[in-house]
Amino acid sequence: MWTWFYQLASPKWFYQFANKWLPWLRAATLILFLAGLALGLLFSPVDYQQGNTVRIMYIHVPAAFLSMFTYVLMAISGAIGYIWRIKMAHIVSVSCAPVGAIFTLLALVTGGIWGKPTWGTYWEWDARMTSELILLFLYLGFMALHNAFDERKTADRAAAILALVGLVNIPIIHFSVEWWNSLHQGATISKFEKPSMDTDMLKALLTMIVAFQFYFVTVLLQKVKAEILDREKLSGWVKKLVVKQGEGVQ
Amino acid sequence: MYFHNFEEFIEMGGHGFYVWLAYAVVLFALVAYFVYSNRSAKSYQKNLVKFYKRMDSRNQHKTDLEQQSVEEN
């Protein structure tokens, strides 16, 4: 059990691990997306109030969910890197930021597109949307702060602190629809209750959420690979790997 | 299947614009970032090939100079 943790902290081991799993992850992501798109666009019913616009849910909810999930992972691995000074944890944390920003942006954009036909407006300064917008700024701030330092160790530690401070925004996003009056509807799926949703809709939504998660792990590992190569370029194994593979890039 | 023909599928009950716009934006962004993150690892490798060549030739140059100065003294 513990050896696995030690291995996980080694960039060389992590790189080989990523290389081994990425082809499978890519294939699984593609299959899940095709299944999710078919279920969401073809095999799920229309909403009795919203009509076909409800199909936007199958991309909006996964994007919003992953935008928060990614942030929590970014903050936790940043904290692990900060406390125990583990290089690999910082690499994961930094690699989370761009894809998290993309999920957040997509949640906002698809929410706006969904809002126009259902609420009559693209944007409203209410709690859910404003706190999600703040999440986007936190991601952008994290990346900007990390870029602002010449020395990478300082950058890692400063950015990790920013990520941890920003963590307070996550429960605010989650509970915003309960704490404040909002246009935005509350959660439809919960761990504790039976979901208040048609089973065909639920199937499509859950498939899409899993597809987005697989996509996240895939692009995260791709980014982590690049980050490891850049940071470890002076260590022997990277040189051996690069020279051995020459132009035949893997 | 909830649509009877292809036109109905495209129209989405009059909301086709919103539904397809949302799906297009998401698909575009996800594919673009997938390609970008995959390429950045590959381009790092290519740059590293050049980086190591440069380092090697610089080190070689350094040892040459050292040897020269040893011989001159």
Side-chain angles (χ1 to χ4, degrees):
Chain A
M1 169 84 177
W2 284 108
T3 43
W4 192 73
F5 273 111
Y6 287 128
Q7 285 175 333
L8 207 60
S10 142
K12 183 186 178 186
W13 189 88
F14 205 106
Y15 188 92
Q16 286 160 347
F17 172 82
N19 254 354
K20 198 168 71 189
W21 283 98
L22 267 172
W24 301 102
L25 285 166
R26 290 188 192 119
T29 307
L30 186 67
I31 291 167
L32 281 163
F33 261 112
L34 292 177
L37 285 175
L39 287 174
L41 289 171
L42 293 172
F43 299 103
S44 63
V46 294
D47 185 80
Y48 77 103
Q49 280 180 327
Q50 302 184 17
N52 276 297
T53 56
V54 75
R55 298 186 196 285
I56 298 175
M57 172 178 71
Y58 306 125
I59 44 178
H60 172 74
V61 173
F65 173 71
L66 261 294
S67 73
M68 297 197 278
F69 178 86
T70 307
Y71 193 90
V72 174
L73 183 67
M74 181 175 97
I76 290 178
S77 53
I80 292 173
Y82 188 91
I83 297 167
W84 289 289
R85 298 183 182 255
I86 297 171
K87 214 187 311 179
M88 209 44 239
H90 281 305
I91 293 177
V92 170
S93 178
V94 169
S95 305
C96 279
V99 62
I102 287 175
F103 285 140
T104 314
L105 193 65
L106 287 178
L108 289 167
V109 171
T110 53
I113 296 172
W114 196 5
K116 187 63 186 170
T118 44
W119 301 338
T121 175
Y122 286 108
W123 183 261
E124 184 67 48
W125 288 104
D126 92 335
R128 181 48 78 79
M129 283 152 252
T130 311
S131 54
E132 185 76 8
L133 185 66
I134 291 172
L135 185 69
L136 179 64
F137 293 146
L138 280 170
Y139 276 122
L140 298 179
F142 179 94
M143 290 190 274
L145 186 65
H146 196 272
N147 276 328
F149 293 94
D150 287 330
E151 218 216 325
R152 194 169 268 157
K153 272 186 186 163
T154 324
D156 283 342
R157 295 172 72 74
I161 293 195
L162 175 73
L164 276 174
V165 172
L167 203 55
V168 71
N169 192 36
I170 297 297
I172 296 180
I173 298 175
H174 183 76
F175 292 111
S176 59
V177 284
E178 292 171 27
W179 290 345
W180 293 285
N181 282 323
S182 173
L183 277 175
H184 201 287
Q185 70 171 69
T188 319
I189 315 175
S190 148
K191 273 186 200 137
F192 308 109
E193 291 162 41
K194 210 167 159 275
S196 54
M197 195 191 242
D198 180 89
T199 33
D200 282 341
M201 285 185 177
L202 192 66
K203 259 188 247 165
L205 182 56
L206 290 180
T207 311
M208 273 310 232
I209 289 178
V210 177
F212 268 69
Q213 271 168 337
F214 269 79
Y215 173 85
F216 167 65
V217 176
T218 306
V219 293
L220 181 72
L221 287 184
Q222 290 182 166
K223 188 82 177 56
V224 162
K225 264 176 71 181
E227 198 73 26
I228 290 177
L229 284 179
D230 188 33
R231 290 179 184 225
E232 299 288 295
K233 59 174 173 262
L234 294 179
S235 68
W237 71 270
V238 174
K239 185 170 180 182
K240 222 185 268 172
L241 180 105
V242 170
V243 170
K244 196 174 76 183
Q245 286 179 342
E247 293 296 308
V249 178
Q250 221 239 307
Chain B
M1 190 86 81
Y2 285 83
F3 299 98
H4 299 106
N5 53 45
F6 190 66
E7 279 94 72
E8 254 183 50
F9 178 59
I10 295 298
E11 271 180 17
M12 287 275 163
H15 289 121
F17 171 73
Y18 300 107
V19 174
W20 293 117
L21 180 64
Y23 273 84
V25 169
V26 169
L27 230 52
F28 173 78
L30 294 187
V31 170
Y33 187 72
F34 176 87
V35 172
Y36 168 78
S37 62
N38 193 21
R39 257 199 209 152
S40 65
K42 288 182 180 176
S43 71
Y44 265 124
Q45 282 209 347
K46 269 186 198 148
N47 289 339
L48 282 182
V49 173
K50 286 178 212 153
F51 173 77
Y52 291 135
K53 268 187 195 150
R54 224 167 37 232
M55 291 276 283
D56 285 346
S57 70
R58 190 184 295 164
N59 289 342
Q60 192 59 46
H61 186 62
K62 226 189 243 169
T63 45
D64 285 352
L65 283 181
E66 277 164 12
Q67 266 177 358
Q68 249 176 29
S69 68
V70 169
E71 280 161 15
E72 277 165 15
N73 293 328

